[in-house]
Amino acid sequence: MPNKVVSVSATMGNSYTITADVRGHHLTIDQPQNARGNNEGPTPLELFLFSISGCVATIARTVAMQERLELRGMEVIAEGELNPAGLLGKPSEDRTGFQQIRISATIDADMSDAEKAEFLNRVCDRCPVHDNVKMTTEVVHQLG
């Protein structure tokens, strides 16, 4: 199967508000007012965690359909912890990003807890966002 390219272009003006039009969906990223933002949207880190939890849930729906499982619903909580010193330009021994991301899923389906745990493992193994976080992904940056 050929590779698929996914692209998003984001624009920032004279504030912390960043907007993007993604397949006709208008998205806004911002900082809270107490961090000099306008509070017009989630922060990039919040959106990142939403991305991984949303991907896990989406893949769960796909896996359930493929395996003919009745998945009535699912709640996925993604939580990350980081030391903000690096992103604030302060010295730190810690990396700038999350030290760990914890994913917790509540699955509404007729499965035992052991079956739900196995299902979640299969789902996370197939989730591209989970994979990009778990494995090293080369990130190349350049001037446009």
Side-chain angles (χ1 to χ4, degrees):
M1 192 176 275
N3 286 349
K4 177 181 178 178
V5 175
V6 178
S7 179
V8 174
S9 175
T11 304
M12 180 182 73
N14 63 357
S15 70
Y16 281 102
T17 305
I18 300 161
T19 59
D21 185 60
V22 181
R23 294 183 302 102
H25 302 282
H26 183 75
L27 302 177
T28 302
I29 293 174
D30 203 354
Q31 296 295 316
Q33 287 180 329
N34 65 354
R36 297 189 177 149
N38 297 318
N39 201 34
E40 293 182 23
T43 68
L45 292 172
E46 292 165 336
L47 208 53
F48 179 81
L49 292 175
F50 173 60
S51 180
I52 194 169
S53 60
C55 187
V56 167
T58 299
I59 298 300
R61 178 64 65 202
T62 300
V63 171
M65 287 175 37
Q66 290 173 340
E67 295 181 4
R68 292 180 165 63
L69 301 171
E70 184 184 351
L71 177 61
R72 291 182 291 274
M74 185 171 182
E75 179 184 16
V76 181
I77 298 170
E79 181 179 72
E81 187 174 329
L82 61 84
N83 178 346
L87 67 91
L88 295 172
K90 298 179 181 178
S92 174
E93 297 286 321
D94 293 327
R95 58 183 286 192
T96 305
F98 291 120
Q99 308 297 314
Q100 180 183 60
I101 295 173
R102 294 174 293 279
I103 297 172
S104 172
T106 303
I107 301 169
D108 184 7
D110 294 328
M111 294 184 237
S112 69
D113 286 347
E115 290 169 329
K116 288 177 182 179
E118 290 172 15
F119 175 75
L120 182 60
N121 286 338
R122 290 194 307 279
V123 165
C124 288
D125 284 344
R126 289 178 53 178
C127 172
V129 178
H130 188 287
D131 177 80
N132 275 308
V133 174
K134 184 173 79 173
M135 306 296 286
T136 300
T137 300
E138 180 182 16
V139 178
V140 179
H141 58 271
Q142 64 189 25
L143 295 176

